[in-house]
Amino acid sequence: RKETLVGGYERSALVRSKLRKPKVSLRRLQQLVRWLNTLSSSSSDGSSKPLSVRTLHAELRSGLVLCEVMRRLVPGTTYEALHKRPRTRATATRNLEEALGVVWRSGRVNNSRIAKASEIYDGHPKETVTRTLNEIFHVYVAQDVRKRAPRILGWFDGLLTAKLPAAATAPPHLEVWDAFADGKRLAEVLGYFFSVFQDRRRDDHDEASLLSRVFANLRDLDVPLYWTPQEWSTFPDTDFVLVQLDAIYDRLRDCPAA
């Protein structure tokens, strides 16, 4: 029997994709944690300690971090019954339900990849919790950045001596990591806006030192960082590359040339 096509795809393939629950690697989780740190201004105890993979569950279980994340991702979000000092399981899970309610009402997520409030509170199953964060990032961040990617990459391309390959600028941007992995194009863009960076490029004798200085300068410019220099050069992840390039574009696009 001939397979029914939906939008050019086989219906059975779309169903399998919808039901698939992708695994989240440790490296991906580390990047998700860095992303959370750019959205959540404080930890669940009210301090400004950044989240880490080790402390992630302890911080998520109160619901405060997730509520703040969804408030940042969905403009206009308010909470009617947020417990700012949840001391019991009941108050913490109610906070989590408030945040998850924003997620569910959007109608954008794959609900099979979103944990229940009780699962996040208990941290079990662990894969369900990390999958929830990955789905929220994918839907509310990565998908939107991919829509803007042609404009973002076109801006970079206009500043570069060595133009980006078509496979980097055109969807699905399969070669975007290869194009930026060694740091040279990022360094050239920084040099376009800041002559002091351009003058010091000769001091970088290898890829590692160049990337370290690029990321140090981006940090000084208050650009949100989702990578370490080492991971940037060794860990291809198209979504997070595009999100990082978007952050650089957003910070520098209105700056005058050096």
Side-chain angles (χ1 to χ4, degrees):
R1 188 178 63 178
K2 188 174 181 180
E3 182 75 54
T4 303
L5 296 181
V6 179
Y9 297 91
E10 293 181 351
R11 182 182 294 275
S12 60
L14 289 174
V15 171
R16 288 194 299 272
S17 175
K18 188 72 174 176
L19 295 176
R20 188 181 302 124
K21 297 180 180 180
K23 293 184 178 180
V24 180
S25 68
L26 176 59
R27 269 186 163 175
R28 177 75 172 205
L29 180 57
Q30 289 170 333
Q31 288 181 300
L32 289 168
V33 168
R34 293 192 196 102
W35 164 67
L36 288 174
N37 280 326
T38 68
L39 296 177
S40 180
S41 57
S42 64
S43 58
S44 60
D45 61 5
S47 68
S48 57
K49 294 180 296 185
L51 304 175
S52 68
V53 171
R54 183 177 61 83
T55 65
L56 182 60
H57 169 241
E59 296 293 349
L60 285 179
R61 71 198 311 248
S62 74
L64 294 175
V65 169
L66 196 56
C67 281
E68 173 66 7
V69 167
M70 295 314 302
R71 186 186 68 79
R72 295 284 299 275
L73 292 176
V74 183
T77 293
T78 58
Y79 301 107
E80 295 181 358
L82 185 65
H83 297 272
K84 296 184 177 180
R85 293 184 179 275
R87 302 186 185 280
T88 65
R89 179 188 181 95
T91 54
T93 53
R94 279 199 287 272
N95 282 350
L96 288 165
E97 286 166 355
E98 289 272 349
L100 292 174
V102 178
V103 177
W104 290 323
R105 286 193 297 271
S106 73
R108 298 175 61 184
V109 298
N110 182 334
N111 286 339
S112 69
R113 297 174 183 171
I114 301 297
K116 300 174 183 177
S118 59
E119 292 173 329
I120 297 176
Y121 183 85
D122 293 332
H124 181 78
K126 186 176 181 180
E127 296 77 12
T128 304
V129 179
T130 55
R131 224 169 13 238
T132 296
L133 296 177
N134 196 57
E135 180 72 1
I136 291 172
F137 169 79
H138 172 70
V139 169
Y140 290 95
V141 181
Q143 286 185 353
D144 291 343
V145 169
R146 280 184 177 268
K147 292 175 184 177
R148 301 194 300 271
R151 181 174 73 251
I152 297 165
L153 294 170
W155 177 83
F156 275 94
D157 212 26
L159 302 177
L160 295 169
T161 303
K163 299 302 181 182
L164 295 169
T169 58
H173 312 292
L174 295 177
E175 293 185 14
V176 69
W177 176 79
D178 303 85
F180 287 94
D182 62 7
K184 292 179 181 178
R185 286 186 167 97
L186 292 180
E188 184 178 351
V189 168
L190 285 172
Y192 178 86
F193 293 102
F194 306 102
S195 56
V196 64
F197 190 92
Q198 196 171 45
D199 295 340
R200 292 177 180 174
R201 284 174 63 186
R202 65 177 68 93
D203 299 330
D204 299 308
H205 303 296
D206 55 45
E207 179 180 303
S209 62
L210 176 63
L211 279 170
S212 293
R213 197 158 65 82
V214 164
F215 275 76
N217 277 263
L218 292 174
R219 185 177 296 106
D220 290 342
L221 291 167
D222 292 324
V223 174
L225 295 178
Y226 310 102
W227 302 76
T228 64
Q230 183 180 12
E231 287 177 349
W232 179 266
S233 63
T234 58
F235 179 36
D237 186 311
T238 300
D239 283 343
F240 266 106
V241 169
L242 291 174
V243 170
Q244 187 64 72
L245 295 178
D246 179 48
I248 296 170
Y249 164 76
D250 188 58
R251 174 64 180 84
L252 300 181
R253 61 181 173 175
D254 295 325
C255 292

